[in-house]
Amino acid sequence: MLEKMEILDVDKVIEEFEAMTKDAENVQRQTLKKILEENGCAEYLQNVGLNGRTDPESFKACVPLVNHSDLEPYIQKIVDGPPSPILTGTPLTTISLSSGTTQGKPKFVPFNDELMETTLQIYRTSYAFRNREYPIKNGKALQFIYSSKQSITKGGLIAGTATTNVFRNCQFKNAMKSMQSQCCSPDEVIFGPDFHQSLYCHLLCGLLFREEIQLVSSTFAHSIVHAFRTFEEVWEELCADIREGALSDRITFPSVREAMARLLKPNPQLADLIHAKCSALSNWYGLIPELFPNVKYIYGIMTGSMEPYLKKLRHYAGDVPLVTADYGSSEGWVGANINPNLPPETATYAVLPHIGYFEFIPLNGDVEEPELVGLTEVKVGEEYEIIVTNVAGLYRYRLGDVVKVMGFHNKTPELKFVCRRNLMLTINIDKNTEKDLQLAVEEAAKLIAGEKLEVIDFSSHVDVSTDPGHYVIFWEINGEVSDEVLQECCNSLDRAFVDAGYLSSRKVNSIGPLELRVVWRGTFQKILDHYLGLGAALSQFKTPRCVGPTNNKVLQILCGNVAKSYFSTAF
Ligand code: AMP
């Protein structure tokens, strides 16, 4: 019997979103009230002396701004048990491990059913708008999603990465079905114990269901690029598996083998077809639509630290649109992409006023302690650090992200993600953000952008062991480049940091010549493996763009794999 499928009523979702955003200020008040009422008995809220008040003014007067380290004692108590209302009225039973790729080590953040519900609300909202632009029919999605193991903490809580907690939640699958975006791979592949093996099987499943694939997605765009780079290496093996109907020996886990055996039958025609298509491509341009003729769009977070992968993704995508996914974090969601036709470079995220209470610290201007403003009070063109209060026990939590208000949808702001606030190259008066680094790398990489050459990945470090200190930029390149060209790249990088503090410091040599270190092929894969070893999920992986002195292991990997190094002669 055919399973009855509830298809999401996208018009209704849009209607509700419109109503909510028209009344954003009131919805924010109500959301805060609800959060404070439901969690009023939590130890944390009891300690700040709210005494049952739920209005924004009392909330701001009593509750301090915090970052993760301020909450660590509370979170540790939750993790160690016994269950009690510490951050939330109803004791938490699940905890998320954030990816930790920005700070160097994973951190615990609260997760609960209410947070899961906000995740689904974000998914539904952006899907509704996306589907209006790019309708998908009843088909399948090639989703590069991976779920790391969940473990049990001393206090009996389930702990896993946020994406793992979402993918393993029983509501996730139903939600994907209702959005006609069901993953083409069996659960055994998604939940497989080894991501290399899962990735191979995802690719294989995608090929087996190639006609049905409507979209290709992952949480962060990096995973999609990573997947197709892997495809370039294993495509002949994949074709052989399809031809013979027998799975490669590289897949060793019995549960994964059994699940794949149910799908795999000898199919020489399909193997020939894929082989012919791949052989005819020039440098893999347009690979995705060749493999998946009915794909409507490619979907995943493509802004912020994912922007450096866009060029490669476009190369694989050919003329298939790239649509950036929503904006949020392990700590909670913020906004949905409701303008899916915008390219990722200009994409914005409309804040959902009912999924949390949002405040903003203005960053423009010279005021020492600027006054925080509410969701509906932000100004177009201004940059802010975003503060979140949510349904999972975070109150006035500094997410650490900088956003820019690009406009309003009704009364709710549309935000552009700018950068992480604390990711900064700085030695003295210079200040360069992740975005500045990205722009510098883009500029310098033009010098090698000839035939097939590209910067696969990059990172940076401030080296103060020299006097004066200097910036070090690490590049992994996919081929041989002459010393002369790399020296030029190094000079170009140095010149590309146009921050006044950097320029003036370089001119008087209070910052030393920038150093470009080219690392061996596979170095960034080692960094990825290192984070996976720490329990991070590939789905949430973000290459650390600036490696601080405390991130010893990653620094060791980078410094231990340097093939060549150059010092700038630009100044
Ligand atoms: P995680 O700790 O793995 O949950 O990562 C959360 C962080 O990823 C956020 O604080 C942002 O810095 C970044 N992030 C999430 N969504 C987006 C997005 N749509 N655009 C840019 N950066 C994002």
Side-chain angles (χ1 to χ4, degrees):
M1 202 175 79
L2 275 178
E3 206 179 324
K4 187 172 175 294
M5 210 162 52
E6 285 283 325
I7 302 288
L8 191 70
D9 182 345
V10 292
D11 293 333
K12 190 160 159 250
V13 173
I14 292 179
E15 218 172 273
E16 283 169 5
F17 177 78
E18 294 297 343
M20 207 121 51
T21 51
K22 279 179 188 153
D23 194 23
E25 191 183 347
N26 188 30
V27 172
Q28 277 284 277
R29 261 181 183 270
Q30 293 308 318
T31 305
L32 179 66
K33 184 165 181 277
K34 188 163 166 272
I35 292 173
L36 296 180
E37 276 172 2
E38 278 172 13
N39 301 297
C41 65
E43 181 186 322
Y44 187 82
L45 287 180
Q46 292 278 316
N47 286 351
V48 296
L50 265 175
N51 298 327
R53 285 169 296 168
T54 61
D55 60 290
E57 294 71 28
S58 309
F59 177 66
K60 285 178 201 168
C62 295
V63 182
L65 291 185
V66 290
N67 50 38
H68 191 268
S69 59
D70 298 312
L71 296 182
E72 264 164 20
Y74 291 90
I75 294 182
Q76 201 55 49
K77 217 163 133 185
I78 295 171
V79 168
D80 292 343
S84 69
I86 294 172
L87 287 173
T88 47
T90 307
L92 295 171
T93 55
T94 310
I95 202 103
S96 291
L97 272 164
S98 93
S99 61
T101 39
T102 51
Q103 245 95 66
K105 65 175 189 336
K107 50 185 198 233
F108 285 124
V109 293
F111 183 90
N112 60 9
D113 288 345
E114 287 78 5
L115 198 67
M116 182 68 202
E117 183 49 36
T118 62
T119 307
L120 297 176
Q121 280 164 350
I122 279 272
Y123 284 0
R124 286 186 204 116
T125 306
S126 56
Y127 172 79
F129 283 92
R130 204 161 62 244
N131 212 50
R132 216 162 53 170
E133 200 72 34
Y134 307 111
I136 52 177
K137 295 191 200 74
N138 190 11
K140 287 190 164 47
L142 171 54
Q143 293 183 319
F144 295 103
I145 57 176
Y146 309 88
S147 163
S148 55
K149 267 208 216 104
Q150 285 175 317
S151 57
I152 305 292
T153 71
K154 192 171 149 205
L157 280 82
I158 300 170
T161 60
T163 40
T164 298
N165 291 337
V166 170
F167 300 153
R168 286 191 186 265
N169 191 292
C170 56
Q171 295 203 51
F172 177 72
K173 231 185 193 176
N174 291 339
M176 286 299 123
K177 270 190 207 161
S178 73
M179 295 176 216
Q180 308 184 73
S181 312
Q182 218 181 334
C183 184
C184 67
S185 307
D187 284 355
E188 290 82 350
V189 169
I190 302 169
F191 302 123
D194 176 273
F195 98 88
H196 298 282
Q197 299 193 18
S198 293
L199 166 54
Y200 185 90
C201 293
H202 276 317
L203 288 169
L204 190 52
C205 291
L207 296 179
L208 295 175
F209 294 107
R210 65 183 288 271
E211 301 269 352
E212 288 171 64
I213 300 296
Q214 299 274 305
L215 70 143
V216 173
S217 73
S218 74
T219 311
F220 285 96
H222 169 268
S223 298
I224 308 179
V225 171
H226 183 262
F228 288 101
R229 281 193 198 281
T230 306
F231 181 87
E232 287 187 31
E233 285 161 21
V234 300
W235 68 282
E236 284 177 301
E237 203 171 329
L238 289 164
C239 286
D241 289 5
I242 295 172
R243 186 180 312 281
E244 306 297 330
L247 191 62
S248 156
D249 289 344
R250 67 163 75 220
I251 311 302
T252 54
F253 290 97
S255 59
V256 181
R257 290 195 71 86
E258 275 160 34
M260 290 305 294
R262 287 195 284 276
L263 301 175
L264 207 52
K265 305 278 173 296
N267 191 341
Q269 290 93 332
L270 179 60
D272 286 345
L273 181 74
I274 294 164
H275 200 282
K277 285 190 176 295
C278 290
S279 308
L281 287 175
S282 162
N283 196 22
W284 302 101
Y285 178 81
L287 171 64
I288 294 176
E290 270 309 305
L291 295 179
F292 313 110
N294 296 312
V295 68
K296 305 289 184 297
Y297 55 86
I298 296 167
Y299 187 64
I301 293 171
M302 295 174 187
T303 45
S305 60
M306 295 298 130
E307 277 183 40
Y309 305 108
L310 285 176
K311 192 165 165 232
K312 190 70 182 174
L313 194 54
R314 284 213 169 89
H315 184 83
Y316 287 133
D319 55 6
V320 179
L322 303 186
V323 182
T324 184
D326 307 309
Y327 167 41
S329 72
S330 306
E331 285 92 335
W333 289 97
V334 178
N337 176 7
I338 59 163
N339 300 303
N341 53 346
L342 290 181
E345 287 84 351
T346 52
T348 57
Y349 302 100
V351 181
L352 267 62
H354 63 306
I355 59 169
Y357 182 74
F358 301 97
E359 294 168 84
F360 297 82
I361 304 179
L363 297 179
N364 305 37
D366 298 327
V367 194
E368 276 276 301
E369 280 188 33
E371 210 166 301
L372 269 69
V373 294
L375 182 72
T376 53
E377 296 161 341
V378 292
K379 293 205 176 76
V380 175
E382 302 278 301
E383 289 190 3
Y384 299 89
E385 181 187 338
I386 189 161
I387 310 291
V388 175
T389 294
N390 76 4
V391 290
L394 299 179
Y395 309 96
R396 310 196 84 201
Y397 180 91
R398 301 177 83 142
L399 210 51
D401 289 340
V402 177
V403 294
K404 184 172 183 177
V405 179
M406 305 307 287
F408 279 85
H409 181 89
N410 297 322
K411 296 279 169 44
T412 204
E414 294 190 308
L415 308 175
K416 180 176 169 61
F417 180 89
V418 178
C419 61
R420 298 278 312 164
R421 188 166 187 185
N422 60 0
L423 261 186
M424 227 175 237
L425 285 165
T426 175
I427 291 177
N428 46 49
I429 53 165
D430 53 312
K431 281 195 190 68
N432 281 300
T433 63
E434 180 178 2
K435 185 78 191 172
D436 299 319
L437 172 65
Q438 183 200 321
L439 293 174
V441 170
E442 266 171 24
E443 185 58 34
K446 285 182 190 154
L447 296 168
I448 64 159
E451 258 296 275
K452 299 185 182 179
L453 281 173
E454 59 185 313
V455 175
I456 295 181
D457 226 330
F458 62 92
S459 189
S460 69
H461 171 62
V462 165
D463 186 353
V464 284
S465 67
T466 55
D467 189 22
H470 69 287
Y471 290 7
V472 180
I473 313 291
F474 297 93
W475 273 14
E476 182 172 326
I477 308 173
N478 68 339
E480 281 297 311
V481 183
S482 72
D483 285 340
E484 294 73 48
V485 173
L486 286 170
Q487 181 62 53
E488 249 328 292
C489 291
C490 179
N491 293 352
S492 163
L493 280 168
D494 205 5
R495 278 192 294 261
F497 289 105
V498 289
D499 159 58
Y502 185 74
L503 265 176
S504 57
S505 302
R506 280 292 290 120
K507 281 183 186 154
V508 298
N509 205 37
S510 57
I511 294 180
L514 180 143
E515 185 183 357
L516 170 63
R517 295 189 194 163
V518 178
V519 294
W520 297 109
R521 281 297 296 274
T523 302
F524 281 86
Q525 177 70 41
K526 285 185 188 160
I527 293 175
L528 172 68
D529 288 339
H530 161 69
Y531 280 110
L532 296 181
L534 288 179
L538 182 65
S539 315
Q540 273 170 268
F541 182 74
K542 301 165 212 75
T543 295
R545 296 289 180 214
C546 180
V547 182
T550 53
N551 200 348
N552 278 332
K553 184 66 200 167
V554 173
L555 206 51
Q556 252 174 28
I557 298 173
L558 286 167
C559 296
N561 283 281
V562 177
K564 293 174 180 177
S565 120
Y566 305 85
F567 280 94
S568 160
T569 53
F571 290 88

